[in-house]
Amino acid sequence: MPDIQNSTREKMKNILLSSAAIALLAGAASAEVTWSGDAEIGYNDDYEDGFYWDAGLYINMSQELNNGWTASASLDIDLEDSSQGSTFKLGDVDSSDWVVSISNDMFGLSFGDVDTAYASFKGVSALYDNDFFAPMDEAADLQDFIDEQVDNGTLPALGVPSVDGGLLLTAEYGNYSAAASVVSVDGDTDETGQIALAADFGMFTAGLFYAENVIFYGLPYDDTIVDGIDDMTVLSLGASFGGADFTASVMDFAGETGYGLEVAYPVGPVTLGAYYASYDMPFYGSEEAYGVSVDYSDGPLTVAAYFEEDFVGAQEYAIEGQYDFGMGLVVTAGYIDGDDDGTLGALDGDDDYATYIVAEYDLGGGASFLASYADANSVAAESTDDIDTGIGGYELYSGATVSLSFSF
């Protein structure tokens, strides 16, 4: 005779398990997880001295919560690159750019490899962001500075401080926005805080920025950040008149006050730009910086040129152009040069000085073929894979390069 009690118990167990599975699947369906990746194989006759390759995987996750909130996370995974020496084994797998956040229409809170509050601030950047000193615009900037100090022997290789990540809080309400951030170094966030406030009233804008202990390149790292450097405060005002955009900034940094003015004026397909900054730099005294630029964009042709001189008289100039031939072929060429004699030590050595030409052909479906040649105009650019172009956003290898890239 069948055991009715046990049979009923088994049926109830199956119903409960099925219900739980349905509930879990329903919850998973409301979440969004996307996977993407890229891969590149190339040949370079100078920097890489032969074939090179790399591949990466990118994960983005998001989940809608109650009351209009959304949780999200992202992670980059470097699967393989030529520095590991062989394609026959996976080698070390490194992860980077990890960020977890929660946000709604007004507020956002993020932790990890995040931007800092400074990334949202607008002003006369030549005054407060230059080759001599600059606020961190992302948490990784501080780690890069520490690594550079280790490489040049300023910091010992043992017991080096390590950046854990950054914490960014943002808020928006009507015409107003605010951002605040700190960077954690070995669990300590002292002296890394930043605050940026902004207001936009159409024809007029205003912004206020404050940062603790801004990085001054060339000085040694001490505990959390740089030894002997004061906090920075910048006030910026913007206005639009007759088609021209004007920006004025006042900075207080290292016990001195600096001033900057910038203007951009479009005339048809041409945009004219100019800036001027004045500041009593520590160790150098009263100095001035200025620059002019011309940008042209009409149909398939884009051209850009600029000339600038920094606070200690070092000059930089460039002319670059790009033409879209249609059918997926784009050609970009340029000349970037300037003073690079190494007399400023850690403050000198621009690795973007080069004469270059790039031809890129879009193969469709996220694939492209690239051929480039970059002839270095500075010692730093002769041994790098990061010659940045002003047009096209390329990061070129020194020498001749051909490569195939794929996005998935």
Side-chain angles (χ1 to χ4, degrees):
M1 185 174 181
D3 189 340
I4 298 176
Q5 185 176 0
N6 287 338
S7 177
T8 302
R9 187 179 294 113
E10 288 300 320
K11 288 181 180 179
M12 290 297 296
K13 184 189 297 183
N14 290 336
I15 291 172
L16 289 173
L17 289 173
S18 299
S19 300
I22 291 171
L24 287 173
L25 288 173
S30 63
E32 182 177 349
V33 180
T34 60
W35 299 73
S36 60
D38 59 26
E40 180 183 15
I41 180 171
Y43 182 89
N44 173 265
D45 70 343
D46 190 350
Y47 177 80
E48 288 288 350
D49 195 24
F51 284 101
Y52 67 91
W53 58 88
D54 64 62
L57 182 66
Y58 313 101
I59 306 172
N60 290 279
M61 300 168 281
S62 64
Q63 172 68 61
E64 293 185 1
L65 309 177
N66 294 334
N67 302 315
W69 290 88
T70 299
S72 61
S74 60
L75 176 68
D76 292 358
I77 302 174
D78 300 322
L79 296 177
E80 180 68 281
D81 66 65
S82 51
S83 65
Q84 299 183 25
S86 173
T87 61
F88 299 104
K89 59 182 180 179
L90 188 59
D92 296 332
V93 176
D94 296 322
S95 61
S96 62
D97 301 332
W98 177 74
V99 177
V100 60
S101 62
I102 183 170
S103 62
N104 63 9
D105 292 338
M106 290 182 60
F107 301 101
L109 179 64
S110 303
F111 177 79
D113 190 6
V114 299
D115 290 340
T116 63
Y118 170 64
S120 64
F121 180 72
K122 306 297 182 184
V124 184
S125 59
L127 175 63
Y128 50 80
D129 189 339
N130 48 63
D131 291 339
F132 307 96
F133 50 85
M136 297 176 288
D137 61 4
E138 58 182 9
D141 283 354
L142 183 53
Q143 186 64 60
D144 291 342
F145 179 66
I146 294 171
D147 293 341
E148 180 181 331
Q149 296 261 302
V150 173
D151 291 341
N152 63 29
T154 305
L155 281 177
L158 297 177
V160 176
S162 177
V163 174
D164 307 313
L167 184 68
L168 174 66
L169 174 65
T170 59
E172 292 186 14
Y173 181 77
N175 298 327
Y176 305 95
S177 62
S181 65
V182 293
V183 176
S184 174
V185 182
D186 292 333
D188 191 353
T189 60
D190 287 347
E191 305 300 325
T192 64
Q194 294 184 2
I195 298 175
L197 306 175
D200 188 343
F201 304 107
M203 289 182 59
F204 300 96
T205 60
L208 179 65
F209 173 70
Y210 172 78
E212 294 180 306
N213 284 338
V214 169
I215 291 176
F216 202 114
Y217 300 107
L219 290 185
Y221 181 97
D222 183 12
D223 294 333
T224 303
I225 196 162
V226 184
D227 184 22
I229 297 303
D230 293 339
D231 302 344
M232 174 185 286
T233 303
V234 183
L235 172 65
S236 287
L237 300 175
S240 298
F241 297 105
D245 295 324
F246 298 89
T247 305
S249 297
V250 180
M251 174 187 70
D252 180 71
F253 176 54
E256 301 291 345
T257 302
Y259 305 91
L261 180 64
E262 187 174 83
V263 60
Y265 184 65
V267 183
V270 178
T271 299
L272 306 176
Y275 72 83
Y276 171 83
S278 176
Y279 176 59
D280 288 339
M281 283 186 58
F283 317 116
Y284 293 97
S286 180
E287 301 292 347
E288 299 175 336
Y290 65 91
V292 292
S293 63
V294 180
D295 297 284
Y296 173 89
S297 182
D298 188 20
L301 178 63
T302 300
V303 179
Y306 67 85
F307 173 87
E308 58 187 24
E309 183 172 299
D310 66 19
F311 285 123
V312 296
Q315 298 177 349
E316 180 175 326
Y317 38 89
I319 181 168
E320 301 174 271
Q322 183 178 85
Y323 193 86
D324 188 342
F325 287 89
M327 304 297 292
L329 177 62
V330 177
V331 176
T332 308
Y335 174 78
I336 308 171
D337 207 348
D339 297 330
D340 189 59
D341 57 8
T343 57
L344 299 181
L347 305 180
D348 209 351
D350 196 311
D351 63 4
D352 295 329
Y353 290 171
T355 304
Y356 70 88
I357 184 169
V358 183
E360 184 174 21
Y361 184 71
D362 187 354
L363 301 173
S368 65
F369 172 79
L370 181 145
S372 69
Y373 179 77
D375 185 15
N377 294 328
S378 70
V379 174
E382 289 177 351
S383 57
T384 183
D385 61 348
D386 189 21
I387 298 175
D388 296 322
T389 67
I391 295 179
Y394 296 106
E395 294 182 356
L396 304 179
Y397 291 86
S398 176
T401 304
V402 291
S403 67
L404 274 172
S405 301
F406 306 91
S407 296
F408 308 97

